[in-house]
Amino acid sequence: MFRIIGVVGAGTMGQSIAEMLAVKGLDVYLVEKTPEKLQQAKEMLELSLDRQMERWAITAAEKKLTLNRIHMASSLQHLADCELVIETISEDLDSKLEVFSQLDGILSDNSVLASNTSTLSLTELAGAIRNPERVIGMHFVYPAFRIDVVEIIRGLQTSDDTFNRTKAFVDEILSKKGVMVYESPGFVTTRLICLLINEALHLLEEGVASSEDIDTAMSLGYQFERGPLEMADRFGLDSVLAALERMFREYGELKYRPSFLLKKKVRAGQLGIKTGIGFFKYDKDGERIR
């Protein structure tokens, strides 16, 4: 079973996955290109754990243990001993292919190489390495430490051994439910939630209801923790736009064509929590300002 895990990319999702793994008692190597981004990730991890301490969810000792299990690294070379590496960089195919190609020369042949991609082809990513049968998708839903499902995506050449080892890790070590998904743009969760978000945006564009009332209707009416527009803010409006654009290209169906309002928000740099404003406003801790 995997005990030493690498996470490539220390953005919002990478931080969340690293925190979740460390809480489970696993050693995590979190890789980012620059010391500045690593420092920012460390500060955000501490902030996340501090918020849990404030809610009496963890103790100061547990916070210290969790942080001690996360090792910050500025080079992929630090991942040589990892049994599983999860790539979480931006949804750009060329960038991911480059990372996979570099990791192929660093990791042992027995290690598993996973991607947290929500829309890209695992089969295409696997083409960057010598042993494509050990490539698999592990799509976590943000925040990874709170959401108890992981989509496990099989590429065309993913072996049964790779899938079985990954499924056992998700179910037994992470105590989450692994859902097997065959490769398809958007898989299950991204494909469905992006359509809900896009339709909510059309309602807002048409003046059917305010952003506040759309979210209230869905969160109270269907017992969602958050409405679709706040979900979009938390995913990152740029990430939602990229996912919709890729699915629109792949499927060619109008239902995936991104709302023009979403494009305007992204062009204005209003990306949600990461910039403090999207469809709603947020403080520096990521809490919504009412």
Side-chain angles (χ1 to χ4, degrees):
M1 198 68 75
F2 311 126
R3 301 303 306 179
I4 306 174
I5 318 295
V7 177
V8 181
T12 303
M13 199 65 196
Q15 294 164 26
S16 186
I17 291 172
E19 179 182 341
M20 178 268 300
L21 294 169
V23 166
K24 294 295 183 181
L26 301 165
D27 279 315
V28 184
Y29 287 82
L30 182 59
V31 179
E32 191 49 90
K33 289 180 180 179
T34 66
E36 292 78 17
K37 288 185 177 180
L38 283 174
Q39 181 59 35
Q40 183 182 26
K42 184 178 180 180
E43 291 171 1
M44 293 304 292
L45 282 164
E46 289 191 23
L47 188 62
S48 174
L49 293 167
D50 284 340
R51 284 202 294 264
Q52 293 178 60
M53 283 177 59
E54 290 171 5
R55 297 195 301 267
W56 300 91
I58 62 171
T59 65
E62 287 171 324
K63 172 191 170 182
K64 185 177 180 181
L65 277 173
T66 298
L67 288 175
N68 285 343
R69 293 189 189 111
I70 302 175
H71 313 286
M72 301 293 180
S74 57
S75 168
L76 295 176
Q77 295 293 334
H78 289 89
L79 305 183
D81 295 328
C82 291
E83 299 148 326
L84 167 68
V85 172
I86 305 170
E87 168 275 311
T88 69
I89 67 171
S90 60
E91 289 286 274
D92 177 72
L93 179 62
D94 290 338
S95 299
K96 288 182 186 287
L97 287 170
E98 184 179 348
V99 167
F100 270 57
S101 179
Q102 290 179 40
L103 288 170
D104 190 35
I106 295 169
L107 302 176
S108 72
D109 289 342
N110 194 45
S111 60
V112 169
L113 184 48
S115 176
N116 184 58
T117 182
S118 57
T119 57
L120 297 175
S121 165
L122 273 304
T123 301
E124 195 163 1
L125 291 175
I129 72 169
R130 292 165 297 166
N131 307 112
E133 65 274 6
R134 61 193 180 105
V135 171
I136 198 163
M138 291 179 71
H139 182 231
F140 294 85
V141 178
Y142 182 82
F145 62 88
R146 283 177 52 199
I147 306 298
D148 290 331
V149 70
V150 181
E151 289 180 297
I152 304 175
I153 304 102
R154 298 188 69 144
L156 184 63
Q157 299 179 75
T158 302
S159 68
D160 288 340
D161 178 65
T162 296
F163 173 78
N164 291 333
R165 290 166 67 197
T166 305
K167 180 77 161 60
F169 174 72
V170 168
D171 291 350
E172 297 170 23
I173 303 299
L174 302 186
S175 301
K176 296 182 182 292
K177 177 62 179 176
V179 178
M180 187 178 78
V181 180
Y182 288 103
E183 184 176 303
S184 176
F187 313 132
V188 174
T189 56
T190 300
R191 185 170 170 179
L192 292 176
I193 202 63
C194 280
L195 282 176
L196 175 62
I197 290 169
N198 210 34
E199 196 61 32
L201 288 167
H202 291 320
L203 288 172
L204 188 59
E205 282 179 322
E206 294 164 16
V208 173
S210 68
S211 54
E212 181 78 41
D213 285 345
I214 289 169
D215 271 22
T216 298
M218 295 306 295
S219 60
L220 295 182
Y222 290 90
Q223 297 184 346
F224 291 166
E225 183 178 358
R226 297 184 176 92
L229 299 176
E230 186 173 343
M231 284 187 207
D233 281 348
R234 292 183 179 278
F235 296 151
L237 300 191
D238 51 340
S239 298
V240 174
L241 177 60
L244 281 166
E245 286 180 333
R246 179 163 290 277
M247 288 190 288
F248 184 40
R249 287 196 300 271
E250 293 283 347
Y251 292 114
E253 295 183 34
L254 287 176
K255 64 183 179 181
Y256 297 109
R257 186 170 66 186
S259 151
F260 186 64
L261 178 58
L262 178 61
K263 292 183 178 181
K264 284 201 293 187
K265 284 281 190 182
V266 172
R267 287 169 185 159
Q270 296 181 4
L271 308 181
I273 279 184
K274 65 178 81 175
T275 58
I277 185 171
F279 292 103
F280 304 102
K281 293 182 179 180
Y282 304 87
D283 63 23
K284 60 181 179 61
D285 295 335
E287 296 299 321
R288 185 169 152 189
I289 300 171
R290 299 290 176 178

